Amino acid sequence: MGPLEELGHHISELLEDLGGMTMFDFGWGSITPFTVYLILTLILVAVIILSVKKRVTLIPKRGPTAAVEAAVDYVRKEIGFGVLGSKELVDKHMPFLFTIFFFILASNLIGLIPGAKAATGTFSVTLTLAIFSFVYFNYHGMKHAGVLHYVKNIAPAGLIPGLNVLVWLIELFSLFLRIVTLSVRLFANMFAGHIIMGVFSILASLFVLPAIHNFSLATLGGATPALGWLILLICIYALELLVAFIQAYVFTLLSAVYLHLATSKH
């Protein structure tokens, strides 16, 4: 059986692995590898933030501390002041936005370690993050305007009777749709990236393994396509490093935009 003929079987195994196999089943719930990496990500983010907090000085340092400080400063300026505007709102809401950003970023980067899994590579995690964001910006919208006023003004004011009810229902649906768009965008990007890297890794290994198991000039020549797949894998890996930052930024940015809309238009 040739390498390409074996590909379908290995892709099925890849999809099963990315789906998250159950490690422990309690009846009411289960633990998967994604659960483990979710916990590890939370611990890692907490340790890094607390460690950096102790090392922050007036004069910027080099190394990991400087990298985290640069990320904090960038998110605060671009998302905090860029979307929320005032220093009062930035100081109030940035702890929540920072938590989302660094958790997603850490999850995405951990998922790029060979053999590891990204917590954001499963829909249940991205859906939970989206729900937390949804609850947060609606809570502060209701707190800002009052519950009845906030709910009433989901639709624009000034519409004729009858039409205002229809528009209100459409806007309400659009409001809840934000949960879907936030969660699906993050999950789809991470899951698709892992599939592509997995497929290229499988293709490279399928062409190389025959030469390793039975070395000869013929098998060595048959292994040459692996070089092309390896180059593509490296390129995709570099792209996924960028995507890891972009997806964390986009999710945080949209959360900030929804928060701004919820607290300013009412």
Side-chain angles (χ1 to χ4, degrees), residues 188-239:
N189 277 278
M190 302 315 300
F191 189 73
H194 294 155
I195 288 178
I196 294 173
M197 289 191 296
V199 170
F200 286 171
S201 298
I202 292 170
L203 285 167
S205 64
L206 287 176
F207 282 99
V208 168
L209 287 177
I212 295 175
H213 293 155
N214 185 22
F215 182 79
S216 67
L217 290 178
T219 56
L220 183 62
T224 52
L227 181 60
W229 293 117
L230 186 60
I231 293 173
L232 286 173
L233 176 61
I234 293 172
C235 293
I236 292 297
Y237 191 88
L239 179 62

Side-chain angles (χ1 to χ4, degrees), residues 4-110:
L4 294 180
E5 294 174 337
E6 296 181 42
L7 181 60
H9 172 69
H10 288 287
I11 288 179
S12 297
E13 292 181 343
L14 173 65
L15 292 175
E16 184 179 353
D17 180 61
L18 291 176
M21 298 165 56
T22 300
M23 299 171 62
F24 302 99
D25 192 345
F26 304 105
W28 50 267
S30 62
I31 293 179
T32 70
F34 290 105
T35 310
V36 175
Y37 280 100
L38 169 63
I39 296 171
L40 289 176
T41 302
L42 290 172
I43 295 173
L44 179 63
V45 171
V47 169
I48 290 176
I49 296 301
L50 291 175
S51 177
V52 169
K53 185 178 179 181
K54 293 179 180 179
R55 290 174 171 79
V56 172
T57 59
L58 292 176
I59 302 176
K61 296 181 179 180
R62 295 181 179 180
T65 301
V68 174
E69 285 188 57
V72 168
D73 186 59
Y74 180 80
V75 173
R76 182 179 175 85
K77 287 180 179 178
E78 295 298 320
I79 296 180
F81 287 101
V83 177
L84 301 178
S86 69
K87 184 178 184 303
E88 179 185 358
L89 292 176
V90 170
D91 292 341
K92 181 178 181 180
H93 298 296
M94 282 314 297
F96 174 76
L97 297 174
F98 278 139
T99 301
I100 289 179
F101 176 80
F102 282 108
F103 173 78
I104 295 176
L105 178 60
S107 297
N108 294 349
L109 293 177
I110 288 174

Side-chain angles (χ1 to χ4, degrees), residues 85-153:
S86 69
K87 184 178 184 303
E88 179 185 358
L89 292 176
V90 170
D91 292 341
K92 181 178 181 180
H93 298 296
M94 282 314 297
F96 174 76
L97 297 174
F98 278 139
T99 301
I100 289 179
F101 176 80
F102 282 108
F103 173 78
I104 295 176
L105 178 60
S107 297
N108 294 349
L109 293 177
I110 288 174
L112 294 176
I113 300 173
K117 295 186 182 298
T120 46
T122 180
F123 184 66
S124 59
V125 172
T126 61
L127 178 61
T128 301
L129 287 170
I131 291 173
F132 270 116
S133 177
F134 180 83
V135 171
Y136 186 87
F137 69 72
N138 278 295
Y139 167 77
H140 283 282
M142 293 177 185
K143 186 177 179 181
H144 173 77
V147 176
L148 293 178
H149 186 74
Y150 180 83
V151 172
K152 177 184 176 182
N153 286 276

